[in-house]
């Protein structure tokens, strides 16, 4: 059809009729047109009236439903386009989006719970009430602190294969995954791993401060670890060190709670608990990863946030 060909609008639905059929408002349909999500089949150049094909109703309803999920427009457009070619792929795109959304909601729920507890503690302190959720005695060695359960554990000496890097908070998750992956591969040549991998923060990592952070994997063979580190050290800042036996104060957190800045609430809770117990921090804080990250859901425990203290 060319621009000069007449259009028989009797075969099309005016925007009012189409809105009624799709149970959407004309305002919503005009918005979808502006956003490029649902283009009318024909627009009258004289009066600007929009006309739609009856077959576009299903697409209109799909767009409306996806928007109720607070889905970004680009993702909606991707799913709608995929439906017309491969419904299974479209379903996969929706599943991937919702998995990310659930993880984000779980993370935000954790932060809200922490903030509510913190604000309540502030209210108690202003009214002269001491203690937090029953933890009020310097003689306690473990217990619930806010929403976090804080405990202590004694650790044995470990030979560590490590990599260090200065990194900001937005780059940190990708670097942790990559560096621990490299070190765990290297551990196979060093007698295997002997404990959970962890990340040590020698200085603050935020959007303003770049650490450094140090990824660590405990290995069995110190001599083999030295050889592996010598081979890869220049490219990856790899070295071997021995972590002495000691005591850790820690709290266990879920995958959702690992997200920044939510994880800061866990670090703060442990620090405050340590101060209440009158303990002395003797080293940098750390995150100990004991679970399969890829297989874990948002509410599954995956990590211990810990500080070494004088034993």
């Amino acid at each position: 059809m060319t621009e000069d060909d007449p259009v028989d609008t009797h075969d099309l639905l005016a925007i009012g009729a189409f809105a009624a059929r799709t149970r959407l408002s004309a305002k919503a349909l005009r918005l979808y047109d502006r956003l490029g999500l649902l283009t009318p089949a024909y627009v009258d150049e004289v009066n600007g009236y929009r006309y739609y094909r009856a077959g576009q109703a299903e697409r209109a309803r799909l767009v409306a439903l996806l928007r109720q999920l607070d889905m970004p427009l680009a993702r909606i457009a991707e799913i709608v386009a995929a439906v017309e070619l491969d419904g299974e792929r479209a379903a996969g795109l929706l599943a991937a989006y919702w998995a990310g959304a659930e993880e984000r909601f779980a993370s935000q729920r954790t932060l809200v719970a922490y903030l509510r507890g913190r604000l309540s503690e502030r209210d108690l302190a202003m009214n002269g009430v001491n203690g937090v959720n029953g933890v009020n005695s310097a003689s306690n060695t473990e217990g619930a602190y806010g929403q976090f359960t804080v405990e202590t554990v004694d650790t044995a000496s470990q030979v560590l294969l490590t990599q260090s890097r200065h990194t900001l908070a937005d780059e940190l998750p990708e670097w942790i995954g990559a560096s621990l992956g490299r070190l765990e591969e290297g551990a196979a040549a060093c007698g295997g791993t002997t404990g959970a991998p962890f990340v040590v923060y020698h200085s603050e990592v935020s959007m303003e401060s770049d650490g450094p952070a140090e990824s660590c994997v405990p290995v069995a063979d110190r001599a083999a670890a030295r050889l592996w580190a010598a081979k890869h050290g220049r490219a990856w800042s790899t070295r071997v060190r021995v972590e002495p036996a000691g005591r850790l104060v820690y709290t266990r957190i879920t995958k959702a709670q690992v997200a920044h800045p939510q994880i800061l609430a866990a670090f703060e809770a442990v620090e405050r608990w340590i101060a209440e117990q009158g303990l002395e921090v003797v080293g940098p804080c750390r995150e100990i990863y004991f679970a399969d990250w890829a297989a874990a859901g948002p509410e599954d425990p995956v990590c211990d946030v810990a500080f070494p203290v004088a034993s």
Side-chain angles (χ1 to χ4, degrees), residues 27-79:
K27 179 180 179 181
L29 293 173
R30 286 191 289 268
L31 174 63
Y32 297 169
D33 182 15
R34 288 201 304 272
L35 298 176
L37 297 174
L38 183 68
T39 303
Y42 171 69
V43 179
D44 191 306
E45 294 183 358
V46 177
N47 54 32
Y49 289 170
R50 292 172 168 85
Y51 294 87
Y52 297 82
R53 293 187 302 273
Q56 290 182 280
E58 183 177 350
R59 177 170 181 150
R61 294 191 189 108
L62 177 59
V63 170
L65 291 172
L66 292 175
R67 280 180 61 80
Q68 290 183 39
L69 298 177
D70 293 327
M71 184 178 287
L73 297 176
R75 184 67 65 88
I76 291 178
E78 186 178 8
I79 291 177

Side-chain angles (χ1 to χ4, degrees), residues 154-205:
D154 291 327
T155 60
S157 175
Q158 301 181 96
V159 177
L160 301 177
L161 197 59
T162 79
Q163 290 182 11
S164 298
R165 180 176 174 179
H166 287 274
T167 178
L168 297 175
D170 59 343
E171 302 168 336
L172 182 64
E174 182 177 355
W175 177 77
I176 288 177
S179 60
L180 289 180
R182 288 191 293 263
L183 292 174
E184 288 176 334
E185 287 183 10
C190 306
T193 59
T194 59
F198 58 97
V199 177
V200 176
Y201 297 99
H202 294 280
S203 187
E204 179 184 5
V205 174

Side-chain angles (χ1 to χ4, degrees), residues 100-265:
E102 286 189 320
E103 189 165 327
R104 184 173 68 255
F105 297 151
S107 179
Q108 292 171 336
R109 186 162 55 248
T110 296
L111 181 57
V112 168
Y114 167 72
L115 290 172
R116 288 180 62 186
R118 184 168 181 171
L119 292 172
S120 297
E121 292 168 21
R122 182 175 182 273
D123 186 58
L124 288 173
M126 291 176 65
N127 286 280
V129 181
N130 295 321
V132 181
N133 288 351
V135 178
N136 192 31
S137 170
S139 64
N140 289 340
T141 57
E142 58 184 45
Y145 198 91
Q147 65 170 308
F148 299 99
T149 298
V150 180
E151 302 179 272
T152 62
V153 63
D154 291 327
T155 60
S157 175
Q158 301 181 96
V159 177
L160 301 177
L161 197 59
T162 79
Q163 290 182 11
S164 298
R165 180 176 174 179
H166 287 274
T167 178
L168 297 175
D170 59 343
E171 302 168 336
L172 182 64
E174 182 177 355
W175 177 77
I176 288 177
S179 60
L180 289 180
R182 288 191 293 263
L183 292 174
E184 288 176 334
E185 287 183 10
C190 306
T193 59
T194 59
F198 58 97
V199 177
V200 176
Y201 297 99
H202 294 280
S203 187
E204 179 184 5
V205 174
S206 66
M207 293 308 297
E208 293 79 34
S209 178
D210 64 353
E214 179 188 27
S215 290
C216 305
V217 171
V219 297
D221 190 330
R222 184 177 182 181
R226 288 185 179 277
L227 290 175
W228 193 88
K231 182 177 180 180
H232 298 88
R234 179 172 297 179
W236 292 340
S237 300
T238 305
R239 69 187 186 100
V240 177
R241 67 177 179 88
V242 176
E243 177 99 341
R247 176 169 295 171
L248 294 177
V249 177
Y250 71 96
T251 188
R252 184 150 292 182
I253 60 176
T254 66
K255 186 175 182 178
Q257 290 172 316
V258 172
H260 187 88
Q262 285 82 340
I263 194 171
L264 300 181

